Amino acid sequence: MRRLLHTSLALSAAGLISLTLTTSAHADGQDVTIYTSNRAGVATFKPYGEHLLVNDLVGDGWSAVARLEVQGYGTYYYWDRQGAQYPALDIDLDFPEGHTVTLTAFLGKWAGTPDGGIDWSSYDHLLDSVHTTT
C-alpha cells in the first residue's frame, strides 16, 4: 500500500511538472509574419519590444496595410504608404505583456481613414491571420 501511495504521488508530481512546463513554454510570444494574397505586401509582429513591420513589396500604386488586433485594446490599422522602394515601416508599439495579438496583411489605396480604401479580399486566404502574445 505504501509503495502504491509513493508511485501515485510521483506520477501526480510528474504530471504537475509537465503541465507547468507546457504552460510556461506557451507564454513567450514568437515573431509572426504574414503576406497579402499576391505577396505584394508583408507584415511582421515582433512581441519582444512590440515592433510591427509593414512593407510594400511591389511598386504598383497599392499600399501594404497591417491590421493588428490586440486582446483587450482594440484593432489598429498601419499603412506603409511610402512605396516599395523604401525599407519596411517599423512601428514601435507599447502593450503590456500577456495579450493575444492577431495580425492580418492587406493591400489598399489610402482613402483618408484608417480602414478606408482597403481591398478586404487581398488577405492571405490560406493563413487568414497569424497569432502570438505580447
Side-chain angles (χ1 to χ4, degrees), residues 33-44 52-66 78-91 105-110 122:
T33 297
I34 190 160
Y35 288 83
T36 60
S37 60
N38 64 354
R39 301 187 71 81
V42 63
T44 299
L52 176 65
L53 303 170
V54 185
N55 200 356
D56 180 2
L57 302 174
V58 178
D60 59 1
W62 290 82
S63 298
V65 184
Y78 297 94
W79 290 69
D80 177 7
R81 296 186 290 155
Q82 38 185 9
Q85 70 272 23
Y86 294 97
L89 182 65
D90 184 351
I91 302 107
F106 296 98
L107 295 174
K109 293 198 177 208
W110 180 250
S122 64

Side-chain angles (χ1 to χ4, degrees), residues 78-131:
Y78 297 94
W79 290 69
D80 177 7
R81 296 186 290 155
Q82 38 185 9
Q85 70 272 23
Y86 294 97
L89 182 65
D90 184 351
I91 302 107
D92 187 5
L93 303 166
D94 187 20
F95 293 108
E97 303 298 316
H99 293 275
T100 300
V101 171
T102 302
L103 179 64
T104 310
F106 296 98
L107 295 174
K109 293 198 177 208
W110 180 250
T113 63
D115 62 354
I118 293 176
D119 177 358
W120 296 106
S121 68
S122 64
Y123 66 92
D124 183 331
H125 296 278
L126 295 178
L127 288 178
D128 186 43
S129 58
V130 289
H131 310 277

Side-chain angles (χ1 to χ4, degrees), residues 2-70:
R2 198 173 187 162
R3 177 174 234 149
L4 182 61
L5 180 60
H6 285 293
T7 303
S8 179
L9 287 174
L11 288 174
S12 295
L16 184 58
I17 290 170
S18 174
L19 179 62
T20 303
L21 290 176
T22 301
T23 304
S24 64
H26 182 67
D28 290 2
Q30 299 294 317
D31 292 2
V32 290
T33 297
I34 190 160
Y35 288 83
T36 60
S37 60
N38 64 354
R39 301 187 71 81
V42 63
T44 299
F45 181 75
K46 298 180 175 205
Y48 185 74
E50 288 100 23
H51 279 265
L52 176 65
L53 303 170
V54 185
N55 200 356
D56 180 2
L57 302 174
V58 178
D60 59 1
W62 290 82
S63 298
V65 184
R67 178 176 66 194
L68 187 71
E69 300 172 62
V70 182

